[in-house]
Amino acid sequence: MNITVIYGTEHKGSTYNIAQLFLNKLRNENAEIREVFLPRDVPNYCRGCAQCFEKGEEHCPDYEKVNRIKKDIEKADLLIFTSPVYVYHTTGQMKTLLDHFGYQWIVHRPNKLMFNKMALIISTAAGGGMKSTIKDIADSLTFWGVARIFKYGKGVAAINWNGVSDKKKLSIYKDIDRISSKIIAIQGNVKPSFKVKAIFNVMRLVQKKGGFNKADHDYWKEHGWLHNKRPWQ
Ligand SMILES: Cc1cc2nc3c(=O)[nH]c(=O)nc-3n(C[C@H](O)[C@H](O)[C@H](O)COP(=O)(O)O)c2cc1C
């Protein structure tokens, strides 16, 4: 299984350590693991020029960096996104990365390779905010068309991995075993969820009427999605 991990912080704390434990369970001898650290790999905020939507993603001022990550994402069977909770939400740098991929939402120009991928979102907090943090990321992945999304949020009652109690670590190990087994069980046979297909079908009707701009409409037409073809075929 090829895995790309996108770390929502460069801090190697609880979230990073949990991601490593997942990798230990999920990697096999043929696995290719790719890692993206934020903000190191995409340091700039979206400038709001909207060139990606209107002209094409290659017109983004940050295209080179974003495209490198796009290629890493495309090569993965499983995408792992990690984020500690920062004031009840994902980190600013993770949000910045997701903003740069707005153009590939199903409402615009979805990447057909997403429709058979799995994702795992990992979040930790001292106490609370995992649900809203995971949702910040899951919203984008669903609208990218990612077929199956697994979620793992944990309140660790600590500010770093060393501060996490042995009792909590034990429950984390058990959770990792359980979720990893589910991921391994569906590997190679991942079909998009009902929700993803429903969003695609609604947007297909919008695109049939011309969509939001010419670049999007032309893209849907070229892929044959306005007729019989579907990205998951
Ligand atoms: C800027 C900042 C904001 C935070 N906001 C929250 C919060 O809203 N809720 C919470 O329970 N913990 C919050 N925390 C604590 C972290 O989410 C928690 O310690 C997390 O496990 C850190 O992950 P890491 O060790 O991977 O960096 C915050 C920490 C920082 C640095």
Side-chain angles (χ1 to χ4, degrees):
M1 176 155 44
N2 292 335
I3 304 173
T4 295
V5 193
I6 301 187
Y7 299 101
T9 172
E10 291 178 50
H11 181 233
K12 293 185 174 172
S14 302
T15 330
Y16 175 86
N17 276 282
I18 291 173
Q20 301 316 300
L21 292 167
F22 268 108
L23 284 178
N24 291 342
K25 287 279 167 202
L26 294 169
R27 60 157 46 109
N28 51 30
E29 68 255 31
N30 303 320
E32 288 174 23
I33 312 289
R34 295 178 176 80
E35 296 186 301
V36 172
F37 284 91
L38 301 173
R40 185 193 72 185
D41 297 326
V42 182
N44 298 326
Y45 297 114
C46 167
R47 296 158 179 78
C49 64
Q51 296 293 292
C52 60
F53 294 125
E54 287 169 0
K55 287 191 178 166
E57 62 271 24
E58 63 281 9
H59 294 272
C60 173
D62 301 318
Y63 174 65
E64 208 182 299
K65 289 191 174 80
V66 175
N67 195 46
R68 214 174 294 146
I69 294 172
K70 181 187 168 202
K71 285 184 178 153
D72 284 347
I73 288 174
E74 286 180 338
K75 285 175 193 144
D77 305 302
L78 172 69
L79 301 167
I80 300 181
F81 283 75
T82 77
S83 178
V85 172
Y86 282 1
V87 289
Y88 253 61
H89 288 280
T90 193
T91 60
Q93 52 268 38
M94 177 62 84
K95 176 66 168 57
T96 288
L97 175 87
L98 297 172
D99 293 344
H100 279 93
F101 281 101
Y103 74 87
Q104 73 165 24
W105 274 42
I106 296 174
V107 299
H108 295 290
R109 300 190 305 278
N111 183 333
K112 69 174 183 182
L113 297 176
M114 298 301 149
F115 291 80
N116 63 0
K117 290 196 191 303
M118 298 179 282
L120 166 65
I121 304 170
I122 304 168
S123 180
T124 72
M130 292 81 76
K131 199 170 170 195
S132 41
T133 297
I134 288 172
K135 186 176 183 303
D136 289 337
I137 301 168
D139 282 348
S140 271
L141 302 190
T142 301
F143 277 89
W144 288 6
V146 170
R148 184 74 195 270
I149 302 171
F150 295 87
K151 300 170 182 176
Y152 184 57
K154 189 76 183 170
V156 291
I159 206 75
N160 212 324
W161 186 238
N162 291 337
V164 181
S165 70
D166 289 344
K167 193 175 166 209
K168 270 220 186 300
K169 282 184 179 163
L170 210 61
S171 83
I172 291 169
Y173 301 148
K174 283 186 188 155
D175 294 338
I176 290 171
D177 277 351
R178 180 175 42 81
I179 297 169
S180 299
S181 305
K182 286 187 188 169
I183 293 172
I184 290 166
I186 65 161
Q187 181 200 349
N189 187 28
V190 185
K191 304 269 188 294
S193 63
F194 175 80
K195 188 175 176 184
V196 162
K197 283 185 175 177
I199 296 168
F200 181 89
N201 288 330
V202 170
M203 287 323 301
R204 182 171 167 269
L205 298 177
V206 175
Q207 291 297 341
K208 271 191 142 184
K209 290 185 178 160
F212 299 112
N213 60 54
K214 190 175 177 314
D216 294 351
H217 179 74
D218 289 351
Y219 182 89
W220 278 70
K221 207 168 156 186
E222 277 161 26
H223 282 79
W225 297 336
L226 301 182
H227 297 284
N228 295 333
K229 284 195 181 166
R230 297 290 178 271
W232 53 84
Q233 285 166 349

